Amino acid sequence: MNKKFLGIIGAVVIGGGLLAGCSTSVEDASSDTGSKQEAKKEESAKDKVYKIGDTVKVDGLKITLTKAEFTSPNQYTKAENGKVLTVDVATENTGDTQAFIDNTDFNLYDKDGNKVEQYFGYDDMAISGDVNKGRKMSGKLYFDVPEQDSYEIVYTPSFSFDSTEVKFEATPQ
């Protein structure tokens, strides 16, 4: 009985230690400052709303939304809300392991806070794939949107054990 109890306690301690090591870090990668401000920078980066052109680093993956613009929908696939917002994404893996990014990691919201669906009418696929250590990948996101001045894009990493969210304000050009 004692051995069984100790075995259960040991499993809980080891499992807890593994999960504790799986937290997601968010850093503002637009400007590098001294290590003294690292904790403050990480906390403020989680609450910050980034703009097009800003770079954010999430678990070693630098993500930059480089451009947002309205594009014409495919002639065979109508945009239900009237417009297609195309967002260019650039990534760089500065971490120690392979990283994954996918268009489903991004949600877009209109000015009223309503989630807007992705647009799947183009032949070009949205960004999706593994980024090896030290490598870069770029791609696009497509959203079926009503026309307005700005939108909120929320990035939530697929393989995160916490509720990390990075918010971008996207103003179409």
Side-chain angles (χ1 to χ4, degrees), residues 70-106:
F70 292 119
T71 54
S72 300
N74 181 306
Q75 66 179 341
Y76 302 111
T77 310
K78 180 182 172 188
E80 298 297 322
N81 291 311
K83 296 282 184 180
V84 176
L85 181 69
T86 300
V87 180
D88 291 358
V89 181
T91 65
E92 180 181 0
N93 186 354
T94 61
D96 295 330
T97 60
Q98 189 176 60
F100 179 75
I101 189 161
D102 190 67
N103 62 307
T104 59
D105 297 343
F106 296 87

Side-chain angles (χ1 to χ4, degrees), residues 6 15 18 37-38 61 73 99 129 135 147:
L6 289 175
L18 288 173
Q37 298 175 345
E38 287 296 320
L61 185 65
R135 302 296 183 186
E147 185 173 0

Side-chain angles (χ1 to χ4, degrees), residues 18-100:
L18 288 173
L19 289 176
C22 296
S23 67
T24 302
S25 67
V26 177
E27 297 176 36
D28 185 343
S30 297
S31 62
D32 290 327
T33 58
S35 61
K36 203 177 200 184
Q37 298 175 345
E38 287 296 320
K40 272 187 181 176
K41 190 168 77 171
E42 261 188 52
E43 276 307 309
S44 65
K46 288 183 180 180
D47 299 327
K48 184 176 179 179
V49 177
Y50 298 90
K51 298 197 178 302
I52 298 296
D54 289 345
T55 300
V56 63
K57 185 175 172 184
V58 181
D59 288 339
L61 185 65
K62 287 185 178 180
I63 301 167
T64 308
L65 304 185
T66 58
K67 182 167 77 170
E69 65 181 339
F70 292 119
T71 54
S72 300
N74 181 306
Q75 66 179 341
Y76 302 111
T77 310
K78 180 182 172 188
E80 298 297 322
N81 291 311
K83 296 282 184 180
V84 176
L85 181 69
T86 300
V87 180
D88 291 358
V89 181
T91 65
E92 180 181 0
N93 186 354
T94 61
D96 295 330
T97 60
Q98 189 176 60
F100 179 75

Side-chain angles (χ1 to χ4, degrees), residues 118-169:
Q118 293 194 25
Y119 177 77
F120 295 103
Y122 292 135
D123 290 337
D124 291 336
M125 299 296 293
I127 192 168
S128 182
D130 292 315
V131 185
N132 290 331
K133 175 183 170 182
R135 302 296 183 186
K136 299 176 183 180
M137 184 169 84
S138 60
K140 298 182 184 293
L141 303 169
Y142 306 106
F143 297 97
D144 184 340
V145 299
E147 185 173 0
Q148 59 189 50
D149 294 335
S150 67
Y151 305 88
E152 181 181 59
I153 298 175
V154 179
Y155 169 71
T156 308
S158 296
F159 300 107
S160 174
F161 289 103
D162 58 19
S163 58
T164 297
E165 289 185 346
V166 179
K167 297 176 183 169
F168 293 89
E169 178 185 0

